[in-house]
Each structure stands twice: as C-alpha cells, then as structure tokens.
Amino acid sequence: MLTLNRLTLALALIGGILAAPAKRTVAYYNPNNGGGSEVDIVSPGLGEPLNVISDPLLTCSDLLTNNFLSFAQDVGFSTECLGIHLGDPQQANLGDGNGAVDQLVEYRENYNLGGTCLESLIGGNHLRGWIQNGPSANSGAWFLAVSQEENVAEGHNIVPNGYNIGRDNLVANANAWAADQSAYSLTVEYVSGLLPSGSNGINHGISQDGQVAVITVTKN
C-alpha cells in the first residue's frame, strides 16, 4: 500500500512524464530564423559564439539541468569551484520566443587533480549553456558557448583561437566518452551557416571559423 509520501512522489513522476515534450522532428531550430543569434550577448554588439549544439538524449524531462550536468561531467566539465561564480551571467536569444535570457549553467574543465578549482587558477576549457525551449521553437536542444580560457592572472580571458580550441576539445572528449561505453552512441556534425566566421562582433576580437558542432546522443 502506498504511503502519502510515496503516492505524492509517484504522481509527481507521472506528471513529469506526461509533461515532457513530444518527440522532436528536428534536433534544433536556427536561432537566426526567429530573430535570435548564434552569438550570445556579453555587451552591446559583442558576444561569444554558440559553437556547440547538444541534444544529449535526456533533455526531455523535468530535470533538464541535472541531466545536462551528468552529460557535461562525462565529457570533462563540472560545476564551478566551491559553487563560487564571479562576473555577470551572459545572455542569449535562441530565436524561440523567449527573447534574451540569462545562461542556465556555467561549467569548467574538471581536472583529475584539483577539479574545477584548478581550472579557476590555471585556465582550461569552459562552457555556458542555454536551452532552446520557447513557445515558437521548442527543440529542447542545449546551445553552448565553449572556449579555452587563460589563467586567473590573465582575468580568464580567452586564449588565441580559444573558441575553436574549446569547441574541438569538448568534441574530442565527447567522442572518447562514447567510445568507452556501450549504452549510448554519439554523432558529431560540424555545421556552417548558423554562425558567421571571423571576429566581427566576437568578444575579445578573437576570430573563429564559423563552424558549430552539433552533438547527438542516442541510446543503443
């Protein structure tokens, strides 16, 4: 016989399943088509490229951020050192009808020794993330701004070519994770046309190649 607490939990779980969005016909929508941009907003006229789009299987649940954190940890990231964050959140408009919204997550490279606290000191890979889930383009995909950072003495500025490097390091880690287990399969496609190449409008004036890595995870 279910106790009241167990019944409440069961109903909550059922409600979460019923509330989950239907299976999508597309992995993501082009933000530019909905008045958004594949570049986030750091300051007026400047932003960082949303150079990775990730659809890591479990985004269709009420635990969106927790599920994405699990995926991010599998590919070498984790939460910030001691939960401490300095600096204002960046915003992004994913063309989904939500307008410009604050980042949902910010994760740093998780070193084997020292974890993300070491990244805060010596630099490393780093990502910010948003979910495309607005009323006009509800794909559920994560849009990520990934970059390789300098150390704390350099103010965590982006290293030369740091946007391309950060993206490609994440992709390499994701491929290594997929090759090391059998429960999931992963594909990566580099897509052009979403993001202009070059440094125009890009924070720190750092040029990038305009390629967006689209990562898709499926259960075997």
Side-chain angles (χ1 to χ4, degrees), residues 140-210:
W142 282 86
F143 283 67
L144 311 179
V146 189
S147 57
Q148 186 82 3
E149 293 185 320
E150 300 274 13
N151 61 44
V152 67
E154 298 295 331
H156 285 162
N157 287 327
I158 310 303
V159 304
N161 199 35
Y163 297 117
N164 294 339
I165 292 171
R167 176 202 61 204
D168 293 344
N169 284 347
L170 185 152
V171 168
N173 286 351
N175 281 324
W177 165 77
D180 197 39
Q181 52 78 46
S182 59
Y184 299 95
S185 296
L186 180 144
T187 61
V188 180
E189 179 185 7
Y190 279 80
V191 176
S192 59
L194 296 171
L195 176 68
S197 60
S199 61
N200 186 37
I202 301 299
N203 203 29
H204 305 293
I206 296 174
S207 185
Q208 44 80 40
D209 61 14

Side-chain angles (χ1 to χ4, degrees), residues 71-136:
F71 175 78
Q73 289 172 331
D74 285 334
V75 298
F77 294 84
S78 195
T79 54
E80 295 189 277
C81 177
L82 304 177
I84 299 171
H85 173 69
L86 300 177
D88 295 329
Q90 294 180 12
Q91 293 190 322
N93 183 343
L94 302 182
D96 58 1
N98 282 337
V101 297
D102 287 350
Q103 66 196 40
L104 293 175
V105 298
E106 182 165 354
Y107 299 146
R108 298 185 182 278
E109 185 169 350
N110 188 15
Y111 290 98
N112 289 331
L113 295 174
T116 59
C117 292
L118 184 58
E119 194 280 341
S120 294
L121 289 175
I122 69 171
N125 217 358
H126 162 263
L127 68 80
R128 303 171 191 265
W130 295 259
I131 301 175
Q132 188 180 55
N133 61 356
S136 59

